[in-house]
C-alpha cells in the first residue's frame, strides 16, 4: 500500500507502510509465535487469516483541529495542531465518502474546533462507524452542550448527503485530557443502534459499543472460534467480556441440531441490551442469555443448573463446560485466571489483541495446554494483531 500522508511525513501511524503485505503477515506471524513460544508449540499454529491491506477500517476516530470555518479532520501533530487526513486509504469506501461529506459541510456549521494548546473551542472529535450495508453512525464529541443546535443543523445537511446515516449522538467531554470521549452521551436520532451484519448474524452497536475495526477479519475470527467450540459439543458455553454478543451468537448458531445453553457476561449494560436484541432477532432467547456483570465474579459464582428449571435470564446458568474470553489489551489478569483454574470447564477459547498479555495469562494457567492457535490480521500496516487460542485441560 502507498500513502501520500506517510510519504510526506504528515502521519506515521502506520508503522509498516510501504512494506509488502505478504512480508508484513509473515513477520507478524513470526513475532507472535516468538512471544508465545513457551506456551504455544509451533505445530499447533494454523495459517494466519488476513483481509485487504487497504480500505478495511469500519470506523474512523477523527480529531478535529484547525479553526472555525477551516477545520481539519485527522490527527494532531507534536505541537497539538490539526493534521488533515480526510483521504486516508485505510477506511472502507462508504466511510471514506462520509468523511469527505463531513469535511465539506463542517466549515459552514459554525462549530469551533477545539484547540489543544490554547484549550479553547468546542468540537473535539468526530467518531464514525460504517456497517456492511453502508449504514452509518456519527458521534460528535463536544466540550460543552451549548453547541447542540449547531450539531443538529449539521446533521440535517449530512442526512441529505449521506442517506445511510442511521445513528447520531453528542458525547460530552468537558475535561482537557488525553481521552477520546466523556461519560455523557445524548442520542439525537430515533435509531439508537447500528446493525452490523456478520455472516449469518446481525450484531447491534450502541454508541459506546466495542466492535472489531476490520469487519471481514472479525467475521473470520467469530467463525473460527465457533468452529472450535462446536467441535466439542458442550452443553453449556459462557462468553466472558461478551460485548454485543459476537462470540456467543456465533457459537449458538455454529452447528445445526446443536443448541447449547449460552451465557454472555459484560460490564456494559448498553452492550448487553444490544446483545439481547441480536439474540431476539435470531430467535435464540430460549437458550441464549446475557447478563450485566463482572466476568470473574460470575465465574466464581458458577453453580450447576437445575435441569427442571425453566430458562431464566436472571438466574444462574449452568456451570460452563466451555468458556470464551475476549478481554481488553491488559488480558484477563490473575483473578480471572485463578477462576479459570478452579472452574469445571474442559475447554477455553481465548481471543487476544495483545500477545504479550496473552503470554502472561497463559503462564497463569498451568492446568491448561494450547491445542490450536491462529493469528488474525485485523490491523494491516501495523504490528498489532489478534490471536485466538484453543485450550484444553491437561
Amino acid at each position: 500500500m502507498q500513502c501520500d500522508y506517510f510519504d510526506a511525513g504528515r502521519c506515521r501511524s502506520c508503522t509498516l507502510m510501504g512494506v509488502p503485505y505478504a512480508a508484513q503477515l509473515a513477520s507478524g506471524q513470526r513475532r507472535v509465535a516468538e512471544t508465545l513460544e513457551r506456551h504455544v508449540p509451533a505445530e499447533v499454529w494454523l495459517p494466519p487469516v488476513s483481509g485487504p491491506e487497504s480500505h478495511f477500517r469500519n470506523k474512523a476516530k477523527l480529531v478535529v483541529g484547525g479553526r472555525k470555518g477551516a477545520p481539519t479532520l485527522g490527527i494532531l501533530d507534536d505541537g497539538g495542531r490539526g493534521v488533515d487526513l480526510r483521504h486516508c486509504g485505510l477506511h472502507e469506501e462508504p466511510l471514506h465518502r462520509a468523511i469527505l461529506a463531513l469535511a465539506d459541510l463542517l466549515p459552514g456549521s459554525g462549530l469551533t474546533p477545539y484547540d489543544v494548546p490554547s484549550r479553547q473551542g468546542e468540537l473535539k472529535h468526530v467518531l464514525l462507524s460504517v456497517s456492511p450495508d453502508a449504514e452509518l453512525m456519527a458521534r460528535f464529541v463536544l466540550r460543552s452542550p451549548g453547541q447542540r443546535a449547531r450539531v443538529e443543523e449539521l446533521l440535517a445537511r449530512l442526512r441529505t448527503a449521506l442517506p445511510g446515516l442511521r445513528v447520531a449522538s453528542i458525547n460530552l467531554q468537558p475535561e482537557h485530557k488525553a481521552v477520546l470521549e466523556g461519560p455523557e452521551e445524548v442520542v439525537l436520532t430515533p435509531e439508537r443502534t447500528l446493525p452490523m451484519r456478520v455472516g449469518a448474524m446481525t450484531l447491534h452497536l450502541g454508541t459506546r459499543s466495542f466492535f472489531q475495526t476490520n469487519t471481514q477479519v472479525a467475521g473470520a475470527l467469530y467463525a473460527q472460534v465457533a468452529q472450535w467450540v462446536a467441535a466439542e459439543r458442550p452443553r453449556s458455553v459462557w462468553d466472558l467480556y461478551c460485548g454485543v454478543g459476537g462470540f456467543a451468537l456465533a457459537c449458538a448458531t455454529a452447528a445445526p441440531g446443536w443448541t447449547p445453553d449460552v451465557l454472555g457476561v459484560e460490564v456494559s449494560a448498553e452492550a448487553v441490551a444490544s446483545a439481547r436484541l441480536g439474540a431476539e432477532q435470531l430467535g435464540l432467547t430460549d437458550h441464549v442469555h446475557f447478563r450485566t456483570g463482572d466476568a470473574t465474579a460470575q465465574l466464581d459464582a458458577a453453580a450447576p443448573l437445575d435441569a427442571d428449571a425453566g430458562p431464566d435470564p436472571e438466574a444462574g446458568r449452568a456451570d460452563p463446560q466451555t468458556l470464551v474470553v475476549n478481554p481488553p489489551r491488559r488480558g484477563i489478569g490473575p483473578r480471572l485466571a485463578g477462576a479459570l483454574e478452579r472452574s469445571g470447564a474442559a475447554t477455553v477459547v481465548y481471543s487476544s489483541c495483545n500477545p504479550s498479555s496473552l503470554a502472561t495469562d497463559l503462564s497463569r494457567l498451568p492446568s491448561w495446554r494450547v491445542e490450536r492457535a491462529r493469528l488474525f490480521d485485523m490491523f494491516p500496516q501495523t504490528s498489532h494483531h489478534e490471536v485466538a487460542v484453543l485450550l484444553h485441560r491437561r
Side-chain angles (χ1 to χ4, degrees), residues 127-297:
L127 312 176
L128 300 174
S129 300
V130 66
S131 77
D133 298 306
E135 291 189 308
L136 293 157
M137 176 189 293
R139 303 173 63 208
F140 297 84
V141 182
L142 298 174
R143 187 173 69 162
S144 68
Q147 300 301 304
R148 174 171 176 165
R150 286 196 167 116
V151 172
E152 290 179 330
E153 290 171 4
L154 174 61
L155 281 176
R157 295 193 292 274
L158 274 174
R159 286 193 185 95
T160 300
L162 301 170
L165 183 61
R166 178 185 174 95
V167 183
S169 69
I170 289 172
N171 178 273
L172 297 177
Q173 172 47 288
E175 298 183 75
H176 179 83
K177 60 182 182 181
V179 295
L180 198 62
E181 58 191 78
E184 185 178 348
E185 191 95 13
V186 181
V187 179
L188 303 175
T189 51
E191 299 290 347
R192 303 182 69 87
T193 65
L194 179 68
M196 294 290 290
R197 184 171 44 82
V198 185
M201 63 185 179
T202 297
L203 306 178
H204 292 267
L205 306 189
T207 54
R208 294 175 175 274
S209 298
F210 168 79
F211 184 71
Q212 300 284 1
T213 299
N214 189 321
T215 305
Q216 180 175 326
V217 178
L221 173 63
Y222 291 144
Q224 179 65 86
V225 170
Q227 179 186 339
W228 283 343
V229 172
E232 306 288 327
R233 290 296 196 274
R235 176 179 55 82
S236 57
V237 179
W238 284 14
D239 178 8
L240 305 181
Y241 308 98
C242 71
V244 297
F247 288 117
L249 297 176
C251 290
T253 56
W258 171 60
T259 54
D261 184 81
V262 178
L263 174 67
V265 181
E266 166 62 47
V267 295
S268 167
E270 179 190 87
V272 167
S274 293
R276 288 173 177 164
L277 178 58
E280 180 181 350
Q281 291 187 346
L282 286 168
L284 300 175
T285 54
D286 59 338
H287 62 98
V288 178
H289 303 280
F290 295 94
R291 173 177 297 168
T292 304
D294 175 75
T296 305

Side-chain angles (χ1 to χ4, degrees), residues 4 6 40 50 61 128 131 176 235 255 309 317 355 386 391:
D4 291 341
F6 185 88
V40 184
S50 62
K61 300 177 180 180
L128 300 174
S131 77
H176 179 83
R235 176 179 55 82
R317 306 308 301 164
E386 189 86 12
L391 300 103

